[in-house]
Amino acid sequence: MQIQVLGPLSAEVNGGSIVPTAGKPRQILSLLALYPGRVMPIPTLMEELWGTEPPASALTTLQTYILQLRRRLGTAMGPGSPNGAKDILATRHGGYLLQIGKTCVDVHQYEDLVRQGQAAFEAGDNEVSAAQFRAALDLWTGAPLVDVKLGPVLDIEVMRLQESRLVTVERRIDADLRLGRHAELIAELTELTARHPHHEGLHSQVMLAMYRSGRQATALEVYRRLRMRLIDELGVEPSPQLQRMHQAMLAVDPLLDVLAGPRRTSTFDLFAA
């Protein structure tokens, strides 16, 4: 079985899709896929499907949805399969679980690659770090579970994944900046800062990329616009790290040209206290 949640929901067995067309069974499959090998409690499944006010028939209806998923699974597995659908989509005390390996689900492949990228980043191996982060991000085909109606439980999971992706993008750009790829990053960072207008980490990266590309005035203008936006919309000044980076650019501080910086740290924390 191969399941993808980093984009439209996809679940295939022997080349055949087992993704149901009905909305609530899709939610169940999505939630089980996020935690393979772990029992998903019935109350959690009910909360996802019906919120805090499940109908009186909720348990019976949930069991019906599980049966529908097992039928699709059994059809895709075929009569010659050594394990039945009940062995894969198993019942346990108080819940259900998908008995498949974590590597069968793209989100766990993604998280493994991110861990490898972070370990290489902290070890100062920028080539490996950038490559691992890039491989992790290549697994994404769109917004997570973009074609699944999200209940309260899946909604939190999707927010977690979206935040994780943004952090991974930021760390990958940190590694690329260490490798001297500043000019190549400007277009990507310009788009990212437009999408995330209050994200100081991304703004620090585009400022540094522009500065190292001989565009000091443009880098300073990025800071000015961000500062005015933060003051006008949130009533706050930029963080001390970003203020110190701005002052370093005004002073043409040689530290800005040190690709890896004095510490194995993020671009945003290059001027941390």
Side-chain angles (χ1 to χ4, degrees), residues 1-138:
M1 183 184 296
Q2 292 295 322
I3 301 180
Q4 296 173 323
V5 300
L6 301 177
L9 176 63
S10 172
E12 294 187 351
V13 176
N14 298 327
S17 175
I18 65 166
V19 177
T21 55
K24 282 184 167 48
R26 291 168 75 92
Q27 290 172 264
I28 294 171
L29 178 59
S30 300
L31 197 49
L32 292 172
L34 286 169
Y35 295 95
R38 189 182 345 178
V39 174
M40 186 58 58
I42 287 173
T44 302
L45 290 166
M46 287 185 174
E47 181 186 359
E48 168 60 26
L49 297 180
W50 295 290
T52 57
E53 298 182 358
S57 61
L59 181 57
T60 301
T61 305
L62 174 60
Q63 292 169 340
T64 301
Y65 293 149
I66 293 292
L67 180 60
Q68 292 172 1
L69 286 170
R70 282 179 177 154
R71 285 174 179 165
R72 297 185 70 90
L73 181 58
T75 300
M77 292 168 64
S81 175
N83 296 313
K86 284 186 177 182
D87 297 317
I88 305 299
L89 178 44
T91 302
R92 291 291 183 269
H93 178 71
Y96 301 93
L97 79 157
L98 270 180
Q99 295 210 92
I100 58 175
K102 287 188 174 182
T103 57
C104 296
V105 186
D106 62 350
V107 68
H108 296 287
Q109 298 170 27
Y110 159 78
E111 289 172 346
D112 284 342
L113 287 166
V114 168
R115 280 191 288 269
Q116 294 169 29
Q118 187 62 35
F121 185 85
E122 292 171 0
D125 193 338
N126 303 316
E127 288 281 2
V128 170
S129 177
Q132 295 298 90
F133 285 141
R134 193 167 281 109
L137 293 166
D138 284 345

Side-chain angles (χ1 to χ4, degrees), residues 226-241:
L226 173 64
R227 180 174 180 269
M228 295 309 299
R229 191 180 305 119
L230 291 175
I231 292 172
D232 292 344
E233 298 178 13
L234 302 178
V236 298
E237 289 278 353
S239 64
Q241 291 100 313

Side-chain angles (χ1 to χ4, degrees), residues 186-250:
I186 291 175
E188 178 185 8
L189 281 164
T190 300
E191 178 185 356
L192 285 168
T193 50
R195 292 180 179 274
H196 304 280
H198 300 127
H199 196 298
E200 294 192 16
L202 294 172
H203 280 79
S204 73
Q205 291 176 325
V206 75
M207 287 169 61
L208 190 61
M210 288 176 171
Y211 180 90
R212 288 177 178 170
S213 300
R215 298 170 60 180
Q216 180 186 20
T218 309
L220 294 171
E221 177 62 16
V222 168
Y223 177 85
R224 187 193 70 81
R225 290 199 305 267
L226 173 64
R227 180 174 180 269
M228 295 309 299
R229 191 180 305 119
L230 291 175
I231 292 172
D232 292 344
E233 298 178 13
L234 302 178
V236 298
E237 289 278 353
S239 64
Q241 291 100 313
L242 207 59
Q243 291 184 44
R244 282 191 284 267
M245 178 177 282
H246 176 247
Q247 289 301 316
M249 288 182 176
L250 290 172

